[in-house]
Amino acid sequence: MVSAWSGQWLRPVLLFCAGLVLLPAIQRTFPSMSAARFFTLVILFFWGVVCVHLLDTVWLYWRDGVIHWGETRIVYNRTRMSFQVNMITGFIMAELLARGLLHQRFLRLNTPMLALILLSNLLCTALVDTRWGTIGLVGSLFSTFILLSLHSMRRSRVVVTGGILVGLIIASALLGYASWKTDPRWQTLESDAIAGWNAPFTSFCYNKTDGAVPVNSLGVPMNHSNGCRASFFHQGWNLIAEHPAGVGAKKEAFRYVLRRDTQDNRINIPHSHYGLIEFGIQNGFAGIAGWLILLVGCWYIGWREFRRGKMMVGMFLLLFTVGFFCRTMVDHNLKDHYLEQYMLLTGLLVGMCALRPANTEKQTS
């Protein structure tokens, strides 16, 4: 148990603590390194992954004459690329909207450069073709816009605000249309989910080697992503209810409990695809409550700083916390580098909120 906790939580906790003190430690040696400059470097390094993927896509198109939709060679799979994109896209959108609505800036990049980064991220999202990543981006767009609009709404800005809202709706519609046209899984989502909700443990959702494929109401074999996700959601929360105290720290807790409870070692699905469900199976309801308390604490710090003067840093922390939590509801990200990146960046943002004085980010664009 100690070994499992060390493997899953030691590095994330250490990275969170490192993030808290990272900027003050750097500033002791390099006083000119402001919070804005340092966070700009973080954004650029994350964007490097996106740039390499886009260049690789161009190379593959030149070589093969076709666009390789839904393929990645830079990272392990599409989900990981989606996380890399979404990690910084929310920050970029918040920065651009703050410049347009409130005439405030934080990142040390000019507006055309930020627009280029945002467009490349949206293009990468369309190429990677991840549905939940697309939904996350659309949610970030509108939540950022609403947050900034409520912060400072005046009659003189009604036209500007309305114009930006129309632009966001158009961008979201184009992104959704691209996902709809390039991903056929949307067409059978409802019928697949119904068929998969009560899929037996002998189905291919749980036994990918020789399990039977359920048939949906359209009379065709259900799609794995649509139907099995519904089944995992159903069975995952049932397992949490059956083991309210958790089963202990295990990276593949979902499969472990299913094999143990059903005495069927043919079950070879590695996880449930839902981060919060996996966390709940491991740590029970008390663990879920503790994780939510941590998130609420970070959310409160971001909201307090957003309302009391450090608007940009507070908004970044607020949106990052909410965005990561929402992603845990649909993807298995409470592990490995996903969790480590989140804890480091969260610690960094909390540490930046704690810096005094708080005047360095208030610049007019």
Side-chain angles (χ1 to χ4, degrees):
M1 180 62 71
V2 172
S3 175
W5 275 101
S6 173
Q8 289 189 241
W9 284 100
L10 180 60
R11 282 188 298 179
V13 171
L14 289 177
L15 286 168
F16 178 79
C17 296
L20 290 174
V21 300
L22 182 59
L23 186 58
I26 292 176
Q27 289 178 336
R28 287 177 64 87
T29 306
F30 304 99
S32 61
M33 181 60 72
S34 65
R37 289 179 178 177
F38 185 75
F39 204 73
T40 301
L41 289 176
V42 173
I43 295 295
L44 289 176
F45 276 108
F46 270 98
W47 187 50
V49 180
V50 178
C51 288
V52 174
H53 176 71
L54 292 177
L55 290 174
D56 185 59
T57 301
V58 172
W59 154 251
L60 291 176
Y61 178 75
W62 180 81
R63 187 191 68 180
D64 303 332
V66 295
I67 298 176
H68 289 252
W69 298 97
E71 295 184 18
T72 61
R73 300 197 302 172
I74 307 307
V75 296
Y76 180 71
N77 56 26
R78 297 182 303 160
T79 300
R80 295 190 182 187
M81 178 59 73
S82 174
F83 273 106
Q84 294 297 116
V85 173
N86 286 18
M87 192 78 71
I88 62 170
T89 301
F91 297 139
I92 300 299
M93 291 188 296
E95 176 77 16
L96 288 173
L97 287 172
R99 292 184 183 189
L101 292 174
L102 304 179
H103 302 289
Q104 295 196 33
R105 65 170 64 206
F106 180 70
L107 299 177
R108 295 301 184 257
L109 296 170
N110 56 38
T111 301
M113 183 62 183
L114 285 175
L116 174 63
I117 293 176
L118 178 60
L119 288 175
S120 66
N121 286 357
L122 296 178
L123 176 60
C124 185
T125 296
L127 290 171
V128 172
D129 195 20
T130 53
R131 293 180 296 172
W132 300 120
T134 302
I135 292 173
L137 285 181
V138 172
S140 296
L141 273 169
F142 284 98
S143 61
T144 305
F145 175 78
I146 293 172
L147 192 62
L148 291 177
S149 299
L150 293 177
H151 183 268
S152 179
M153 178 61 71
R154 300 184 223 156
R155 290 187 177 182
S156 59
R157 292 183 180 170
V158 170
V159 175
V160 175
T161 303
I164 294 176
L165 178 60
V166 171
L168 292 180
I169 293 175
I170 294 175
S172 301
L174 291 175
L175 202 60
Y177 180 76
S179 178
W180 177 272
K181 295 298 290 184
T182 59
D183 194 336
R185 294 175 298 180
W186 287 112
Q187 314 300 326
T188 60
L189 177 61
E190 181 179 0
S191 57
D192 287 341
I194 294 174
W197 183 259
N198 291 308
F201 295 131
T202 55
S203 70
F204 85 135
C205 290
Y206 301 92
N207 180 0
K208 295 191 293 185
T209 304
D210 53 10
V213 180
V215 177
N216 62 23
S217 59
L218 301 176
V220 298
M222 78 174 190
N223 176 268
H224 177 276
S225 178
N226 292 337
C228 294
R229 271 183 171 270
S231 181
F232 298 155
F233 183 87
H234 182 203
Q235 299 297 341
W237 284 109
N238 281 344
L239 289 177
I240 295 175
E242 293 172 5
H243 306 279
V247 298
K250 293 176 177 60
K251 282 191 176 182
E252 298 176 345
F254 186 65
R255 180 175 67 180
Y256 168 81
V257 176
L258 286 179
R259 281 183 171 182
R260 188 190 66 182
D261 291 358
T262 62
Q263 298 295 308
D264 187 354
N265 288 328
R266 292 177 300 174
I267 295 176
N268 54 19
I269 183 69
H271 53 77
S272 67
H273 289 277
Y274 297 97
L276 195 62
I277 288 177
E278 291 286 336
F279 191 82
I281 294 174
Q282 296 176 59
N283 306 288
F285 288 109
I288 293 177
W291 176 249
L292 293 179
I293 289 172
L294 174 63
L295 294 184
V296 169
C298 294
W299 187 89
Y300 171 75
I301 292 172
W303 176 255
R304 183 188 62 191
E305 298 300 313
F306 176 75
R307 298 296 297 174
R308 292 184 180 179
K310 276 192 175 179
M311 196 205 73
M312 295 301 294
V313 174
M315 181 173 60
F316 282 173
L317 178 58
L318 184 65
L319 293 173
F320 191 49
T321 301
V322 173
F324 187 82
F325 170 73
C326 292
R327 197 66 188 264
T328 64
M329 303 294 289
V330 295
D331 273 316
H332 186 23
N333 60 343
L334 281 174
K335 65 170 186 175
D336 300 336
H337 69 283
Y338 307 117
L339 182 61
E340 292 168 9
Q341 288 177 341
Y342 170 75
M343 295 294 278
L344 176 62
L345 286 181
T346 299
L348 178 62
L349 288 169
V350 172
M352 289 163 57
C353 287
L355 289 176
R356 298 293 185 264
N359 299 322
T360 56
E361 70 182 72
K362 292 183 178 180
Q363 298 183 5
T364 57
S365 60

